[in-house]
Amino acid sequence: MSKDILLNAVRRGLKRGPLPEDRKAMLRGRLALHPRHTIPARSRLPHAGQVDLFVRNVEKEFGSVVRVADWNAVPDAIADYLSAQNLPSRFAMAPHPELQAIPWSNRPMLEIRVGRAEATDAVAVTQAFAAIAETGTLMLPSAPERPTTLNLLADTAIVVLRASNLVGAYEEAWDKLRAELGGMPRNVMLVTGPSRSADIEQTLELGAHGPRNLHVILVEDAG
Amino acid sequence: MHVATSPAFKENAHKALADAGLQKALARSGPSFIARRASAVAGLPEFEELRNIARDIKNHAIENLDFYLEEYEAKVIAAGGQVHWCPDADAARAAVLAICQRVGARTVTKGKSMIGEEIAINAHLERHGIVPIETDLGEYIIQLRDELPSHIIAPAFHLNMEDWEEAFRKHHTDLPADRSLAERRDILIEARTRLRSKFLAADVGITGANFLIAETGSSVIVTNEGNGDLTQTLPRVHIVLASIEKCVPTIEDTTSLLRLLARSATGQDFSVYTTFSTGVRRPGDLDGPDEYHVVLIDNGRSAMIGTEFQEMLRCIRCAACMNHCPVYGAVGGHAYGWVYPGPMGSVLTPGLLGVDKAGHLPNASTFCGKCESVCPVKIPLPKLMRHWREREFERHLSPTAYRTNLGLWAFFARRPSLYRLATRIGAKALALLGRKRGRLASLPFAAGWTEGRDLPTPEGDTFFARYARAQRDGTH
Ligand code: SF4
């Protein structure tokens, strides 16, 4: 009822009735093909250059990145980061198979709770589905193995990213998502740097409601 | 509920010019927005090309809006959500309240939403015993101070540190007197701590939407704080408030618009959190809402379609136009008297509130043309302001009203600092106006301006002098 009122008001403005079927078919074609528009040249680089661009952009946005040679190096990288930041060696971690396969026993001091984040967690570790060099952005789609709260509740968010999951432009990350996940997950966060606010006197302060620290562990698996 | 004071724009503007605190805030923050945008735009050589693309995407979406809205709804339903079609603000308020009451909500957290301000949803919930809590830092203090935002992306643009401390001390009554709130950091930590428990306790989270995507049924929010994400992730119910013109076809279309949004707004390449929400918690998910509702609101938009104001529906609410507006820069947002200030507000507000209430606003312009030159979707804001004036003439306004409007125009043109700013950034505008050769006589108030003997002649080579010369010489 109110749907018809609203749609008819739109059509009155457009000075036509509902679209004819052939026009609808054309528009459905556009939705199915979802054509790309201009993609900025800045990310059109060989992969190594994209990785460098990503790192530069994350750092420009007040995040940090450490590059490690393989999965075995991840526990050390995390433990070292936490101690350098004077943070507890306790964290909540996404139940992602890639993360669970990491040899955590290398650093027995790390206390890991696998699951979603709770309000009391100071540090959270999750896995990046993809990353976008263009602006230093992480793509974090929700899934049972990648709870959204891990991106948000802890003061420090650590994200493990495989270099082979890093692409140049957003469009490539979306195509990867369509191909591998088969459709839109409930929630897809594109995260660029740590939380911040400039609401007080238009001056930037880091750490508003989300994490104050965003640290990326970049696993160089791309060769 | 705030009564619109748009009819009293001139009085508001006078007050604003005399408000030392406001002038301090404007002087501090205005130039930084301009510089940050300029540097972000300089870093993206494709920016101009993307503006054309963005304009075309939004035009295409509006030309086929009925189709895309139906496609969008089908996708929302497929993802377990529900769309509530609301022709006006009353219907939207009723829809939100009904959901909140059905789930027995006591508190509701809110992400920043301009349409939420437009339909005054907070006041409506409060009247029915439900407590809305704004979680964007700027909106939070606006709520504490019980005022309207003064800027569409920086609600507390008009405030200084002392205002923050005062509001926090007044409302956070359990704060120890020796607790320092002198630094921005102190304020931020206090707000973060205070709001964390609210996020966790809320029954419903309400956010706005920057975009709705027909391809996927997703709503998109863009924030830097993460408050919008906590709002839509933690409570059991997520309600999205969105006006109909937010609907765009695909993720790729959205992506192109997003490349412009943050750069135009805050001068960031991308905002910290750009989040796509699609329906309810999926099987096996450890977090996310069980209910997902989109309250889809017309409230005057469809009436703009097919008129000269249709172009205004392209607006992506980036605020670049007000950040670059010499009038906004002089009087701030509250002078405009309602939810939408600056050039976009001067075009939108008469359409939403009526010309009788907001007809003065389109006169709050120096015609410098800067707003149009920075608008990421190329809305011809000065032209649309002129259309409103022409409409007023067609309504046969009385000589008194005519004088009032002329007076308002003169009021801004007479301010030397404003005038300098307007003429400094007016080169582009000159080109713009110059293209409309022979239009001087039909420009509203142009006759009044040239006859304006009581107006002091502005010093030097002014905008209007150059404009007149350009008209004569046929040069730009
Ligand atoms: S009118 Fe243009 S510049 Fe102003 S807020 Fe809208 S999109 Fe931004």
PDB file of all heavy atoms in Angstrom, chain B residues 152 312 314-322 344 371 374-379 381, ligand 1:
ATOM      1  N   ILE B 152      26.807  18.819   8.297  1.00  0.00           N
ATOM      2  CA  ILE B 152      26.260  17.478   8.050  1.00  0.00           C
ATOM      3  C   ILE B 152      27.261  16.359   8.298  1.00  0.00           C
ATOM      4  O   ILE B 152      26.863  15.218   8.474  1.00  0.00           O
ATOM      5  CB  ILE B 152      25.622  17.341   6.649  1.00  0.00           C
ATOM      6  CG1 ILE B 152      26.646  17.593   5.535  1.00  0.00           C
ATOM      7  CG2 ILE B 152      24.417  18.261   6.507  1.00  0.00           C
ATOM      8  CD1 ILE B 152      26.119  17.229   4.151  1.00  0.00           C
ATOM      9  N   MET B 312      19.307  17.772  -7.375  1.00  0.00           N
ATOM     10  CA  MET B 312      19.699  17.783  -5.963  1.00  0.00           C
ATOM     11  C   MET B 312      19.704  16.386  -5.373  1.00  0.00           C
ATOM     12  O   MET B 312      20.396  16.112  -4.391  1.00  0.00           O
ATOM     13  CB  MET B 312      18.738  18.698  -5.190  1.00  0.00           C
ATOM     14  CG  MET B 312      19.219  19.066  -3.802  1.00  0.00           C
ATOM     15  SD  MET B 312      20.807  19.933  -3.849  1.00  0.00           S
ATOM     16  CE  MET B 312      21.522  19.305  -2.333  1.00  0.00           C
ATOM     17  N   ARG B 314      21.081  13.921  -6.457  1.00  0.00           N
ATOM     18  CA  ARG B 314      22.387  13.262  -6.589  1.00  0.00           C
ATOM     19  C   ARG B 314      23.238  13.403  -5.330  1.00  0.00           C
ATOM     20  O   ARG B 314      24.217  12.701  -5.163  1.00  0.00           O
ATOM     21  CB  ARG B 314      23.161  13.886  -7.757  1.00  0.00           C
ATOM     22  CG  ARG B 314      22.607  13.586  -9.122  1.00  0.00           C
ATOM     23  CD  ARG B 314      23.681  13.729 -10.193  1.00  0.00           C
ATOM     24  NE  ARG B 314      24.206  15.076 -10.323  1.00  0.00           N
ATOM     25  CZ  ARG B 314      23.706  16.016 -11.140  1.00  0.00           C
ATOM     26  NH1 ARG B 314      22.653  15.749 -11.875  1.00  0.00           N
ATOM     27  NH2 ARG B 314      24.271  17.198 -11.214  1.00  0.00           N
ATOM     28  N   CYS B 315      22.880  14.331  -4.481  1.00  0.00           N
ATOM     29  CA  CYS B 315      23.726  14.694  -3.332  1.00  0.00           C
ATOM     30  C   CYS B 315      24.130  13.485  -2.501  1.00  0.00           C
ATOM     31  O   CYS B 315      23.290  12.683  -2.112  1.00  0.00           O
ATOM     32  CB  CYS B 315      22.984  15.700  -2.451  1.00  0.00           C
ATOM     33  SG  CYS B 315      23.869  16.143  -0.948  1.00  0.00           S
ATOM     34  N   ILE B 316      25.424  13.337  -2.231  1.00  0.00           N
ATOM     35  CA  ILE B 316      25.895  12.237  -1.386  1.00  0.00           C
ATOM     36  C   ILE B 316      26.296  12.740  -0.001  1.00  0.00           C
ATOM     37  O   ILE B 316      26.990  12.048   0.740  1.00  0.00           O
ATOM     38  CB  ILE B 316      27.048  11.442  -2.052  1.00  0.00           C
ATOM     39  CG1 ILE B 316      28.229  12.356  -2.422  1.00  0.00           C
ATOM     40  CG2 ILE B 316      26.542  10.701  -3.296  1.00  0.00           C
ATOM     41  CD1 ILE B 316      29.475  11.598  -2.890  1.00  0.00           C
ATOM     42  N   ARG B 317      25.868  13.950   0.348  1.00  0.00           N
ATOM     43  CA  ARG B 317      26.029  14.483   1.712  1.00  0.00           C
ATOM     44  C   ARG B 317      27.489  14.526   2.164  1.00  0.00           C
ATOM     45  O   ARG B 317      27.812  14.106   3.273  1.00  0.00           O
ATOM     46  CB  ARG B 317      25.220  13.637   2.711  1.00  0.00           C
ATOM     47  CG  ARG B 317      23.741  13.473   2.384  1.00  0.00           C
ATOM     48  CD  ARG B 317      22.967  14.742   2.661  1.00  0.00           C
ATOM     49  NE  ARG B 317      21.523  14.535   2.575  1.00  0.00           N
ATOM     50  CZ  ARG B 317      20.794  14.691   1.475  1.00  0.00           C
ATOM     51  NH1 ARG B 317      21.365  15.072   0.337  1.00  0.00           N
ATOM     52  NH2 ARG B 317      19.494  14.503   1.502  1.00  0.00           N
ATOM     53  N   CYS B 318      28.356  15.020   1.288  1.00  0.00           N
ATOM     54  CA  CYS B 318      29.778  15.044   1.633  1.00  0.00           C
ATOM     55  C   CYS B 318      30.156  16.314   2.377  1.00  0.00           C
ATOM     56  O   CYS B 318      31.192  16.384   3.017  1.00  0.00           O
ATOM     57  CB  CYS B 318      30.621  14.929   0.368  1.00  0.00           C
ATOM     58  SG  CYS B 318      30.607  16.435  -0.621  1.00  0.00           S
ATOM     59  N   ALA B 319      29.358  17.370   2.240  1.00  0.00           N
ATOM     60  CA  ALA B 319      29.569  18.644   2.925  1.00  0.00           C
ATOM     61  C   ALA B 319      30.628  19.539   2.280  1.00  0.00           C
ATOM     62  O   ALA B 319      30.937  20.607   2.803  1.00  0.00           O
ATOM     63  CB  ALA B 319      29.896  18.453   4.408  1.00  0.00           C
ATOM     64  N   ALA B 320      31.180  19.129   1.147  1.00  0.00           N
ATOM     65  CA  ALA B 320      32.187  19.981   0.500  1.00  0.00           C
ATOM     66  C   ALA B 320      31.611  21.365   0.194  1.00  0.00           C
ATOM     67  O   ALA B 320      32.291  22.382   0.316  1.00  0.00           O
ATOM     68  CB  ALA B 320      32.702  19.323  -0.778  1.00  0.00           C
ATOM     69  N   CYS B 321      30.338  21.400  -0.199  1.00  0.00           N
ATOM     70  CA  CYS B 321      29.758  22.696  -0.586  1.00  0.00           C
ATOM     71  C   CYS B 321      29.741  23.662   0.595  1.00  0.00           C
ATOM     72  O   CYS B 321      30.052  24.846   0.444  1.00  0.00           O
ATOM     73  CB  CYS B 321      28.361  22.517  -1.177  1.00  0.00           C
ATOM     74  SG  CYS B 321      27.183  21.646  -0.133  1.00  0.00           S
ATOM     75  N   MET B 322      29.397  23.181   1.780  1.00  0.00           N
ATOM     76  CA  MET B 322      29.391  24.108   2.928  1.00  0.00           C
ATOM     77  C   MET B 322      30.805  24.411   3.398  1.00  0.00           C
ATOM     78  O   MET B 322      31.097  25.519   3.835  1.00  0.00           O
ATOM     79  CB  MET B 322      28.488  23.603   4.061  1.00  0.00           C
ATOM     80  CG  MET B 322      28.860  22.305   4.700  1.00  0.00           C
ATOM     81  SD  MET B 322      27.467  21.582   5.652  1.00  0.00           S
ATOM     82  CE  MET B 322      26.370  21.047   4.341  1.00  0.00           C
ATOM     83  N   MET B 344      23.906  23.179   0.003  1.00  0.00           N
ATOM     84  CA  MET B 344      22.975  22.058  -0.219  1.00  0.00           C
ATOM     85  C   MET B 344      21.697  22.259   0.583  1.00  0.00           C
ATOM     86  O   MET B 344      20.604  21.917   0.127  1.00  0.00           O
ATOM     87  CB  MET B 344      23.633  20.699   0.065  1.00  0.00           C
ATOM     88  CG  MET B 344      24.197  20.474   1.449  1.00  0.00           C
ATOM     89  SD  MET B 344      22.995  20.014   2.714  1.00  0.00           S
ATOM     90  CE  MET B 344      22.691  18.318   2.267  1.00  0.00           C
ATOM     91  N   CYS B 371      30.772  26.238  -4.479  1.00  0.00           N
ATOM     92  CA  CYS B 371      30.078  24.994  -4.094  1.00  0.00           C
ATOM     93  C   CYS B 371      29.950  24.054  -5.277  1.00  0.00           C
ATOM     94  O   CYS B 371      30.251  22.871  -5.180  1.00  0.00           O
ATOM     95  CB  CYS B 371      28.713  25.306  -3.478  1.00  0.00           C
ATOM     96  SG  CYS B 371      27.681  26.439  -4.435  1.00  0.00           S
ATOM     97  N   VAL B 374      33.211  22.287  -6.349  1.00  0.00           N
ATOM     98  CA  VAL B 374      33.753  21.188  -5.536  1.00  0.00           C
ATOM     99  C   VAL B 374      32.778  20.019  -5.386  1.00  0.00           C
ATOM    100  O   VAL B 374      33.151  18.961  -4.879  1.00  0.00           O
ATOM    101  CB  VAL B 374      34.180  21.656  -4.121  1.00  0.00           C
ATOM    102  CG1 VAL B 374      35.330  22.646  -4.215  1.00  0.00           C
ATOM    103  CG2 VAL B 374      33.009  22.240  -3.339  1.00  0.00           C
ATOM    104  N   CYS B 375      31.543  20.196  -5.788  1.00  0.00           N
ATOM    105  CA  CYS B 375      30.541  19.131  -5.576  1.00  0.00           C
ATOM    106  C   CYS B 375      30.932  17.864  -6.353  1.00  0.00           C
ATOM    107  O   CYS B 375      31.078  17.902  -7.567  1.00  0.00           O
ATOM    108  CB  CYS B 375      29.160  19.608  -6.012  1.00  0.00           C
ATOM    109  SG  CYS B 375      27.904  18.310  -5.860  1.00  0.00           S
ATOM    110  N   PRO B 376      31.095  16.745  -5.648  1.00  0.00           N
ATOM    111  CA  PRO B 376      31.569  15.530  -6.323  1.00  0.00           C
ATOM    112  C   PRO B 376      30.579  14.969  -7.342  1.00  0.00           C
ATOM    113  O   PRO B 376      30.983  14.220  -8.228  1.00  0.00           O
ATOM    114  CB  PRO B 376      31.774  14.540  -5.170  1.00  0.00           C
ATOM    115  CG  PRO B 376      30.903  15.039  -4.066  1.00  0.00           C
ATOM    116  CD  PRO B 376      30.894  16.534  -4.207  1.00  0.00           C
ATOM    117  N   VAL B 377      29.298  15.332  -7.224  1.00  0.00           N
ATOM    118  CA  VAL B 377      28.317  14.848  -8.198  1.00  0.00           C
ATOM    119  C   VAL B 377      27.813  15.990  -9.073  1.00  0.00           C
ATOM    120  O   VAL B 377      26.782  15.883  -9.728  1.00  0.00           O
ATOM    121  CB  VAL B 377      27.142  14.117  -7.509  1.00  0.00           C
ATOM    122  CG1 VAL B 377      27.578  12.733  -7.044  1.00  0.00           C
ATOM    123  CG2 VAL B 377      26.605  14.913  -6.329  1.00  0.00           C
ATOM    124  N   LYS B 378      28.585  17.084  -9.065  1.00  0.00           N
ATOM    125  CA  LYS B 378      28.361  18.207  -9.980  1.00  0.00           C
ATOM    126  C   LYS B 378      26.937  18.762  -9.942  1.00  0.00           C
ATOM    127  O   LYS B 378      26.303  18.949 -10.994  1.00  0.00           O
ATOM    128  CB  LYS B 378      28.729  17.795 -11.411  1.00  0.00           C
ATOM    129  CG  LYS B 378      30.217  17.517 -11.572  1.00  0.00           C
ATOM    130  CD  LYS B 378      30.584  17.517 -13.039  1.00  0.00           C
ATOM    131  CE  LYS B 378      32.044  17.867 -13.245  1.00  0.00           C
ATOM    132  NZ  LYS B 378      32.425  17.917 -14.649  1.00  0.00           N
ATOM    133  N   ILE B 379      26.425  18.979  -8.751  1.00  0.00           N
ATOM    134  CA  ILE B 379      25.108  19.606  -8.645  1.00  0.00           C
ATOM    135  C   ILE B 379      25.277  21.105  -8.876  1.00  0.00           C
ATOM    136  O   ILE B 379      26.110  21.743  -8.224  1.00  0.00           O
ATOM    137  CB  ILE B 379      24.479  19.334  -7.265  1.00  0.00           C
ATOM    138  CG1 ILE B 379      24.284  17.829  -7.077  1.00  0.00           C
ATOM    139  CG2 ILE B 379      23.144  20.067  -7.119  1.00  0.00           C
ATOM    140  CD1 ILE B 379      23.842  17.424  -5.690  1.00  0.00           C
ATOM    141  N   LEU B 381      24.538  23.969  -7.824  1.00  0.00           N
ATOM    142  CA  LEU B 381      23.869  24.577  -6.668  1.00  0.00           C
ATOM    143  C   LEU B 381      23.477  26.033  -6.892  1.00  0.00           C
ATOM    144  O   LEU B 381      22.342  26.415  -6.573  1.00  0.00           O
ATOM    145  CB  LEU B 381      24.744  24.411  -5.424  1.00  0.00           C
ATOM    146  CG  LEU B 381      24.902  22.945  -4.966  1.00  0.00           C
ATOM    147  CD1 LEU B 381      26.210  22.746  -4.209  1.00  0.00           C
ATOM    148  CD2 LEU B 381      23.727  22.505  -4.112  1.00  0.00           C
TER     149      LEU B 381
HETATM  150  S1  SF4 C   1      25.527  19.215  -2.734  1.00  0.00           S
HETATM  151 FE1  SF4 C   1      27.396  18.243  -3.524  1.00  0.00          FE
HETATM  152  S2  SF4 C   1      29.023  19.174  -2.296  1.00  0.00           S
HETATM  153 FE2  SF4 C   1      27.109  19.583  -1.194  1.00  0.00          FE
HETATM  154  S3  SF4 C   1      26.889  17.888   0.232  1.00  0.00           S
HETATM  155 FE3  SF4 C   1      25.793  17.299  -1.619  1.00  0.00          FE
HETATM  156  S4  SF4 C   1      27.269  16.138  -2.820  1.00  0.00           S
HETATM  157 FE4  SF4 C   1      28.440  17.250  -1.285  1.00  0.00          FE
END
